[in-house]
Amino acid sequence: MALLKVKFDQKKRVKLAQGLWLMNWFSVLAGIIIFSLGLFLKIELRKRSDVMNNSESHFVPNSLIGMGVLSCVFNSLAGKICYDALDPAKYARWKPWLKPYLAICVLFNIVLFLVALCCFLLRGSLENTLGQGLKNGMKYYRDTDTPGRCFMKKTIDMLQIEFKCCGNNGFRDWFEIQWISNRYLDFSSKEVKDRIKSNVDGRYLVDGVPFSCCNPSSPRPCIQYQITNNSAHYSYDHQTEELNLWVRGCRAALLSYYSSLMNSMGVVTLLIWLFEVTITIGLRYLQTSLDRVPNPEEPESESEGWLLEKSVPETWKAFLESVKKLGKGNQVEAEGADAGQAPEAG
């Protein structure tokens, strides 16, 4: 028994074809939107590629760009099919290709749904790549004279100013690395010598942070050196007083920014997916109703359209049987090829 059977007369078929034609051109615009969202996200990720550890984070924007292009192509073709469906002579040319085309549309909708889910689910991967990338970027902060790394100081400083953050997980991350270049250290100074000697790796570590960690909203002048030394500053206690530095780490700030972007894009993609599913269902009704017209020379006659020719369990069973037959057919062909090679070997 057919699933969700609906009766159509000529007037209903014409309205359905015209409505689908209009919806398909709206979907072309939706495809352009998906493409634009993916391109925007890719540009935003490339801006901070220096503080990202790998290219896995580009999977979502690349997928959105690809699905946007495919959406424009498929919906343009569907619009042409719906336009020609009003003319029996033109529709006859499309008729043999409609079932494969609908199967491709179903596959496209599945992939589009998975891409929308990826927009929500790749937060963990993004967090790891940001954490490792920021750690490496902070390590190279002092290498202003090293080719290929001389830009890292500016990148980190601009990042901390723009996103109002400090360090990877917090400002204390700067205490664990030497972020001041040896070029600007006075090695004749006893303090510098003592600090370097006291460190196993011979690094110059200080309880200070770069200027870009300072919060300009603080009423007190920025304390960026000797942050944990209360006696070095008047009326100061680093444990109880609110510091005039950005408290949030840059990993959390960037993760929040990109997550909000991808969540918004995921919502938009899901809405477009629902629209695409509606169009695919409409195309299926149009195809079955036109195929069931008793006499193509009498287009005014009534016909029936449906979503599935059989019930869902029967359709699934028939699909599995067709897959099994296809597998057996490939096996027989392989055995025939082996049998043909055996006499030659003899």
Side-chain angles (χ1 to χ4, degrees), residues 119-227:
C119 292
F120 299 103
L121 299 177
L122 285 184
R123 178 186 172 93
S125 174
L126 185 62
E127 184 175 8
N128 292 332
T129 187
L130 281 172
Q132 191 60 41
L134 283 166
K135 188 176 180 181
N136 293 334
M138 291 171 62
K139 192 195 309 180
Y140 303 139
Y141 181 88
R142 63 174 177 166
D143 296 339
T144 52
D145 300 325
T146 306
R149 298 178 187 171
C150 54
F151 59 87
M152 190 57 73
K153 178 183 180 300
K154 180 182 177 182
T155 300
I156 296 293
D157 283 333
M158 295 301 295
L159 178 71
Q160 294 189 144
I161 292 170
E162 181 181 355
F163 286 91
K164 299 179 180 180
C165 58
C166 185
N168 190 348
N169 298 308
F171 68 91
R172 290 182 180 274
D173 293 336
W174 290 107
F175 299 174
E176 301 171 4
I177 62 171
Q178 180 181 338
W179 55 273
I180 302 174
S181 174
N182 289 338
R183 180 182 178 183
Y184 304 107
L185 293 177
D186 181 9
F187 286 94
S188 62
S189 169
K190 183 177 182 300
E191 181 191 353
V192 173
K193 289 180 181 178
D194 290 343
R195 281 189 178 275
I196 292 175
K197 287 179 181 179
S198 63
N199 186 264
V200 178
D201 299 325
R203 295 179 297 168
Y204 182 74
L205 303 182
V206 294
D207 56 341
V209 296
F211 77 97
S212 52
C213 283
C214 295
N215 182 358
S217 301
S218 174
R220 180 168 189 159
C222 185
I223 298 175
Q224 64 180 111
Y225 292 105
Q226 296 184 328
I227 295 174

Side-chain angles (χ1 to χ4, degrees), residues 31 34 62-72 108-109 111-112 115:
I34 292 177
N62 290 340
S63 300
L64 288 172
I65 290 170
M67 296 307 291
V69 172
L70 290 176
S71 177
C72 292
F108 170 79
N109 287 329
V111 175
L112 184 61
V115 170

Side-chain angles (χ1 to χ4, degrees), residues 97-107 279-280 283-284 287:
W97 303 100
L98 272 179
K99 277 191 176 180
Y101 175 77
L102 284 170
I104 293 172
C105 286
V106 171
L107 182 62
I279 290 174
T280 303
L283 281 172
R284 175 61 172 167
Q287 179 244 333

